[in-house]
Amino acid sequence: MARINKIKGFADLFPPESNLYVFMEERARKVFPLYGYEEIRIPVLEKTELFARSIGGETDIVQKEMYTFADRKGRSLTLRPEATAGVVRAFIESGMASREGVYKFFTFGPMFRYERPQKGRMRQFHQIDVEMFGPEHPQADGELILMLFNYLQELGLNSLTFYVNSLGCKECRPQFQEKLVAFLTQVPEENLCADCQRRRTTNPLRVLDCKVEKCREVVREAPKITDCLCEECKKHFEQVITILNQSQIPWEHNPFLVRGLDYYQRTTFEVVSFDANIGAQSAIAGGGRYDGLVRNLGGPDVPGLGFACGMERIALLLEGQKQNSLDFFVAIIAEQALNAGIELAQRLRQKGYRGEVSFEAKSLKAHLRQANKKKSRTCLILGEEELVQKVVQVKNLQTGLQQSVAWEDIEQALGILF
Ligand code: HAM
């Protein structure tokens, strides 16, 4: 029979890769609640109109990247290309949007975009999505970016840059847009890529972050939105900057950061990595403020802001950092030590250490090969001699150092090692 393979741009995740996803989710569940966020779950399938109305009909996502199909009754449905629209819909539909207060949510899950697959870019990919509703204050924008920074640090990611910009509001952005269109109409057609020739009338802001080199050259001379902000937006942006400056976040103002979704107002940001492992796809997270979106989707006028992390891209960075899957691997080198090994492993697991134990006695060499394959931090060696003396040889697999430890001291020894 012919074999059935997976769809292009979709992936199966097995260990050790899948462990990275568990790790990202675990750390999110640890960090986000420190700021008052709670986990929610929402559907992956929504009515197409939800995305067209929120992300914007002229965006690449809606124009050419959505998985849209008719269901059995002919209704147009779409596999979500991102989570914000669905979270906002659920927020309104639940009635919460009509009750005052600050609401903070996070959610994980698969998203779908029909893009050309490459390293760090998939058709089914995963996001960690965070949304906050209620506050209009710049302190909320600041805290959100601080939380993202805290989270990425918890993952052990350090060499990152945070690009920050303001896109103004519905008062000042149209004026900027006019200036930009005036500038772009003077640019000779051949100096822009085919997409941007179209965008300069349909969605001129998107020309600003086109990745094609000749467009980037044009954009260097373009007017900057942050020079055209109204007083309110200017004040808001300055306050966000003050918060960023009093933190250790490595941030830069990028006046050409506009993002690929139309719902943003005022603060926008993107986190990029210059690590070679991530390929050409350098943005690992992005977000911003989207005041007006809740109302645009039929709810009351509640401000909102959030971000999403791309889990595939973060996984590429983490892979480069070599993760340990296990804390210990118990290597039994004499038959009579098998049961003592089970007992020892059980004790360590009850203390929260992750580990495995060999179910058969083998040569030390074979065990070490296995322990390294499982990416264990340590190998605990139990043989005839150790059984008699009630000790275990603890080998640190990173440094190669080995020491003899009494059974009752083993938890303490592992504690020191980590
Ligand atoms: P986004 O910038 O479209 O924003 O996506 C966020 C992150 O998802 C990107 O920075 C990237 O790491 C990852 N990502 C996007 N497309 C792909 C892909 N095809 N393959 C792998 N990773 C990908 C949003 O989706 C907004 N909803 C974020 C947000 C939440 N804004 C406010 N709240």
Side-chain angles (χ1 to χ4, degrees):
M1 287 282 256
R3 208 174 59 179
I4 302 170
N5 294 332
K6 60 182 180 298
I7 307 167
K8 185 176 173 193
F10 287 58
D12 301 310
L13 294 175
F14 283 102
E17 206 187 346
S18 55
N19 293 336
L20 297 176
Y21 287 71
V22 174
F23 172 65
M24 284 182 254
E25 292 180 2
E26 269 178 0
R27 292 300 149 104
R29 289 192 174 106
K30 180 177 160 203
V31 173
F32 299 157
L34 299 175
Y35 295 77
Y37 287 80
E38 290 179 291
E39 187 171 343
I40 59 165
R41 319 241 167 149
I42 54 164
V44 295
L45 201 57
E46 298 274 2
K47 292 178 182 161
T48 304
E49 196 198 343
L50 175 71
F51 302 114
R53 222 204 287 171
S54 55
I55 298 171
E58 282 303 328
T59 58
D60 284 353
I61 297 179
V62 172
Q63 289 258 314
K64 42 189 187 193
E65 294 172 2
M66 295 207 303
Y67 277 89
T68 297
F69 56 91
D71 74 359
R72 287 176 185 279
K73 290 240 166 91
R75 290 169 290 224
S76 180
L77 303 180
T78 294
L79 280 169
R80 61 177 181 192
E82 57 110 49
T84 310
V87 175
V88 173
R89 180 207 45 72
F91 178 60
I92 299 168
E93 203 168 337
S94 67
M96 275 180 265
S98 310
R99 296 194 286 273
E100 274 210 4
V102 173
Y103 295 87
K104 296 173 171 179
F105 305 115
F106 68 97
T107 190
F108 314 109
M111 311 290 153
F112 306 85
R113 294 184 194 176
Y114 197 91
E115 294 189 85
R116 200 165 42 78
Q118 53 174 241
K119 196 173 184 185
R121 191 161 76 195
M122 298 295 288
R123 289 184 173 166
Q124 175 177 323
F125 61 100
H126 298 79
Q127 282 186 346
I128 298 178
D129 184 81
V130 169
E131 312 292 351
M132 153 158 52
F133 298 100
E136 53 190 348
H137 318 285
Q139 283 73 19
D141 311 42
E143 188 196 74
L144 184 75
I145 301 173
L146 285 176
M147 182 173 84
L148 174 58
F149 177 66
N150 191 352
Y151 173 63
L152 295 172
Q153 280 212 313
E154 267 289 321
L155 295 181
L157 303 179
N158 290 311
S159 326
L160 302 169
T161 302
F162 284 60
Y163 286 138
V164 183
N165 195 21
S166 173
L167 290 182
C169 64
K170 55 183 183 310
E171 302 301 323
C172 52
R173 199 183 317 163
Q175 284 167 29
F176 167 72
Q177 204 148 312
E178 250 173 54
K179 266 196 189 172
L180 182 63
V181 171
F183 167 82
L184 290 173
T185 27
Q186 283 173 13
V187 175
E189 206 157 75
E190 63 274 16
N191 290 5
L192 292 172
C193 73
D195 276 340
C196 285
Q197 286 175 25
R198 182 174 49 81
R199 283 182 191 133
R200 65 175 157 184
T201 44
T202 56
N203 197 352
L205 279 173
R206 289 292 292 160
V207 177
L208 293 180
D209 75 348
C210 179
K211 303 287 177 284
V212 177
E213 191 45 46
K214 64 177 177 182
C215 300
R216 291 172 85 120
E217 224 159 88
V218 167
V219 160
R220 262 174 230 134
E221 305 301 319
K224 296 186 176 62
I225 185 147
T226 34
D227 293 335
C228 305
L229 297 178
C230 64
E231 273 313 302
E232 283 298 296
C233 287
K234 211 167 133 196
K235 231 165 66 196
H236 190 97
F237 191 43
E238 279 166 5
Q239 301 235 40
V240 175
I241 288 178
T242 306
I243 295 170
L244 295 178
N245 280 342
Q246 73 190 24
S247 76
Q248 287 133 27
I249 298 178
W251 78 276
E252 272 173 39
H253 175 209
N254 178 351
F256 303 122
L257 176 72
V258 298
R259 316 254 312 116
L261 308 101
D262 281 353
Y263 48 59
Y264 292 111
Q265 296 223 6
R266 296 194 169 164
T267 316
T268 52
F269 53 90
E270 223 161 69
V271 184
V272 295
S273 159
F274 298 102
D275 192 308
N277 214 30
I278 200 170
Q281 302 306 316
S282 62
I284 60 158
R289 178 172 276 281
Y290 49 79
D291 300 352
L293 180 60
V294 177
R295 195 177 47 185
N296 188 26
L297 288 176
D301 199 3
V302 180
L305 56 163
F307 64 78
C309 299
M311 296 178 80
E312 275 68 14
R313 295 186 194 171
I314 293 180
L316 286 171
L317 294 180
L318 294 173
E319 250 169 35
Q321 294 188 359
K322 190 176 183 303
Q323 293 284 311
N324 287 106
S325 306
L326 297 179
D327 298 318
F328 66 86
F329 182 88
V330 183
I332 306 294
I333 53 174
E335 191 80 27
Q336 55 278 47
L338 278 172
N339 290 350
I342 295 283
E343 197 189 325
L344 176 67
Q346 177 73 354
R347 245 177 54 202
L348 293 176
R349 290 165 180 148
Q350 281 166 343
K351 292 283 176 192
Y353 293 113
R354 298 162 305 172
E356 286 194 39
V357 50
S358 65
F359 299 129
E360 71 182 303
K362 279 190 206 159
S363 74
L364 180 59
K365 207 169 144 206
H367 281 313
L368 285 175
R369 210 179 308 125
Q370 180 93 16
N372 278 313
K373 206 170 135 204
K374 297 217 171 234
K375 295 208 170 74
S376 182
R377 284 176 210 260
T378 59
C379 188
L380 310 182
I381 305 154
L382 260 181
E384 214 181 323
E385 186 69 23
E386 285 79 16
L387 201 60
V388 174
Q389 297 188 9
K390 293 199 176 343
V391 293
V392 59
Q393 305 297 328
V394 179
K395 189 176 179 70
N396 182 327
L397 294 177
Q398 265 133 32
T399 60
L401 292 177
Q402 187 171 316
Q403 68 187 104
S404 179
V405 177
W407 284 359
E408 61 270 23
D409 296 335
I410 182 76
E411 287 98 332
Q412 203 192 353
L414 282 186
I416 293 166
L417 267 171
F418 298 132

